[in-house]
Amino acid sequence: MGGEREAFPWHLRVFDAHCHPTDTIASLDDVPKMKAGALTIMASRGEDQGIVQQFANKYGIQHETVQSLWSEDDSHHPTQLVPSFGWHPWFSHQIFDDSNPCHSDTGDFDAVRHYKAVLSPSPDEDFIPSLPRPRPLSGLLDQLRESLKSFPYALVGEIGIDRSFRLPNHWTAGDEAKRKEGLTPGGREGRQLSPYRVHIDHQRKVLKAQLNLAGELERPVSVHGVAAHGIVFETLKETWQGHEKVVLSKRERKRRTSAANSHGSQAPIGEKGKDEVCGPKPYPPRICLHSYSGPPEPLKQYLDPSIPATIYFSFSHLVNFSQRSQKAADVVKAVPNDRILVESDLHSAGDQMDRLLEDITRLVCEIRGWPLVEGVKLLAENWRRFVFGELSADSLDRSQNK
């Protein structure tokens, strides 16, 4: 019948660029039964770092399975996990900067002074005891570094800046009674919100330290930005300042190409910078702005050819299209073909996550005017390039065999 939808080509591999199934631990055993090719799962706080590790050990990409992510045959390949380790801005108040000589992780560390300094408005004395003891930034970075080195395909995430978020209130007897079983602790879990927000300067400090770590280990990052698109860009820009590519004009590229041809040498690519040689940098090699909710105009600054990092933009039904949004559609249209990713941003694995991935993939293809099969292939290739860089399945295999 003419009204039937085209069958969805799961066999071409559909990848979730950002999700949180570790928030519902019981759902993770549904991962092998899913249709998605792989889930890029995020850590966000102290309570879920170990859970991400646990399930990455169980279902994560392995040396012997990574090549299946390039497969387009009809045989079933179990869904795999790509772990990500990071500290979300919603929990950034739990971190203190121990590089500041006024702060040290000693027995007399003043948690009250810390929370009064990083929260706005200054919190009441009866609110502070409900907060966890702050941990040093250096200790967090050491933990993240160890986790990332344990998983060679892992990302840094979820990290970022959020100007809208407010901390949840402390637990009341009524909240405890309504608490849902099975949710990983540490999140909001249905509590009312307090008036307290984390100072942006503190969020920036925690974000920048994690961006530098991603650059050190040459890992991609997944970045959260809410009501802070300009601040996110400026923080990212600070990490690559002084490492920008030199962009040649059309006239200069033509002149150099002619000169190269006359000497029988290879033509220049047109863009050169300090960082063409692989190795640690102060900025991540690849950045995904997850569920990007900004307007189309700021895309230009992220797509400036002098930026040495590659910026991707992912979209989800839950954040971008919970209501049909013309602004979101305009952004999807404005992003270059090779920079679009799709995600569920869902907090449990299983059939609903597959449905959300199918829905956002169909919608992106519809907005862009892509035939479904070609669109799925393009989005899959974008995800592989975001996670693995320009490496192919064969080159990944060779690098692991060295």
Side-chain angles (χ1 to χ4, degrees):
M1 293 177 60
E4 291 183 357
R5 289 206 302 179
E6 180 180 354
F8 195 71
W10 286 105
H11 65 284
L12 298 177
R13 320 299 274 153
V14 178
F15 301 107
D16 192 334
H18 185 106
C19 58
H20 295 269
T22 50
D23 280 350
T24 312
I25 296 175
S27 75
L28 283 158
D29 284 326
D30 291 331
V31 166
K33 298 176 280 187
M34 289 180 62
K35 298 174 182 176
L39 313 178
T40 318
I41 64 171
M42 300 292 130
S44 61
R45 57 193 185 276
E47 290 84 353
D48 64 4
Q49 306 290 326
I51 300 172
V52 170
Q53 278 203 351
Q54 175 188 345
F55 283 91
N57 281 323
K58 191 173 184 180
Y59 301 126
I61 293 176
Q62 306 295 330
H63 164 52
E64 59 272 16
T65 62
V66 66
Q67 286 187 308
S68 70
L69 298 175
W70 275 260
S71 172
E72 294 183 355
D73 59 42
D74 289 328
S75 58
H76 176 69
H77 298 280
T79 301
Q80 300 180 69
L81 302 182
V82 177
S84 307
F85 301 97
W87 205 268
H88 195 287
W90 291 356
F91 309 98
S92 57
H93 60 288
Q94 299 173 7
I95 306 300
F96 71 89
D97 179 13
D98 53 329
S99 68
N100 184 334
C102 297
H103 291 159
S104 64
D105 192 23
T106 60
D108 61 353
F109 172 74
D110 192 343
V112 172
R113 184 175 67 175
H114 164 74
Y115 281 126
K116 284 183 175 290
V118 302
L119 297 179
S120 178
S122 183
D124 297 334
E125 297 286 346
D126 61 345
F127 181 74
I128 292 176
S130 70
L131 301 174
R133 180 175 176 77
R135 57 185 298 184
L137 180 58
S138 65
L140 169 64
L141 296 175
D142 287 344
Q143 178 190 354
L144 295 178
R145 185 180 288 106
E146 183 179 348
S147 298
L148 291 162
K149 287 184 175 180
S150 297
F151 296 91
Y153 303 122
L155 283 66
V156 174
E158 180 177 0
I159 61 178
I161 293 177
D162 193 318
R163 291 179 61 190
S164 296
F165 177 75
R166 290 177 287 145
L167 272 62
N169 274 319
H170 52 72
W171 288 100
T172 65
D175 291 330
E176 291 280 6
K178 295 183 290 185
R179 200 169 188 172
K180 288 185 178 180
E181 292 290 330
L183 290 181
T184 300
R188 180 180 174 185
E189 298 183 72
R191 287 176 286 171
Q192 295 294 311
L193 295 178
S194 76
Y196 307 118
R197 290 183 166 89
V198 184
H199 279 300
I200 293 300
D201 285 347
H202 184 71
Q203 292 189 46
R204 278 169 51 91
K205 189 172 296 182
V206 175
L207 169 60
K208 191 172 179 182
Q210 295 179 91
L211 292 169
N212 293 156
L213 176 63
E216 172 194 327
L217 299 179
E218 301 177 77
R219 302 300 178 90
V221 300
S222 189
V223 175
H224 169 109
V226 173
H229 299 293
I231 300 169
V232 168
F233 178 76
E234 288 305 317
T235 307
L236 293 170
K237 183 179 177 182
E238 287 176 10
T239 68
W240 63 62
Q241 208 140 30
H243 298 263
E244 292 89 345
K245 295 179 182 179
V246 177
V247 182
L248 303 178
S249 67
K250 289 183 179 179
R251 175 180 292 181
E252 181 64 13
R253 285 202 302 273
K254 185 176 180 180
R255 187 189 70 78
R256 293 193 182 193
T257 299
S258 298
N261 288 340
S262 67
H263 289 88
S265 58
Q266 187 175 6
I269 61 172
E271 296 179 357
K272 295 186 177 182
K274 302 175 185 177
D275 295 340
E276 289 182 348
V277 178
C278 292
K281 312 287 191 311
Y283 59 87
R286 298 175 299 283
I287 299 166
C288 172
L289 302 178
H290 109 84
S291 288
Y292 177 76
S293 57
E297 291 75 20
L299 295 176
K300 295 177 183 177
Q301 62 188 0
Y302 285 110
L303 299 172
D304 188 312
S306 69
I307 294 176
T310 305
I311 316 291
Y312 295 84
F313 305 82
S314 67
F315 300 95
S316 68
H317 250 296
L318 292 179
V319 175
N320 303 110
F321 292 99
S322 56
Q323 298 179 340
R324 192 65 182 254
S325 165
Q326 186 57 49
K327 183 187 85 168
D330 289 343
V331 172
V332 170
K333 290 177 184 176
V335 175
N337 284 1
D338 61 349
R339 302 293 184 89
I340 300 180
L341 301 171
V342 291
E343 58 169 277
S344 69
D345 199 23
L346 193 64
H347 293 256
S348 60
D351 291 342
Q352 185 184 6
M353 187 173 281
D354 277 337
R355 284 195 298 273
L356 286 170
L357 281 174
E358 177 177 345
D359 289 346
I360 189 61
T361 300
R362 287 184 182 274
L363 183 55
V364 165
C365 289
E366 176 190 326
I367 291 170
R368 294 302 299 247
W370 297 337
L372 184 59
V373 167
E374 284 75 6
V376 168
K377 286 182 176 181
L378 177 59
L379 292 169
E381 183 54 36
N382 290 351
W383 179 87
R384 288 188 286 258
R385 200 166 51 251
F386 166 61
V387 172
F388 302 112
E390 297 295 338
L391 295 175
S392 66
D394 288 340
S395 59
L396 279 169
D397 186 54
R398 288 195 298 272
S399 69
Q400 290 295 312
N401 282 318
K402 286 182 178 178

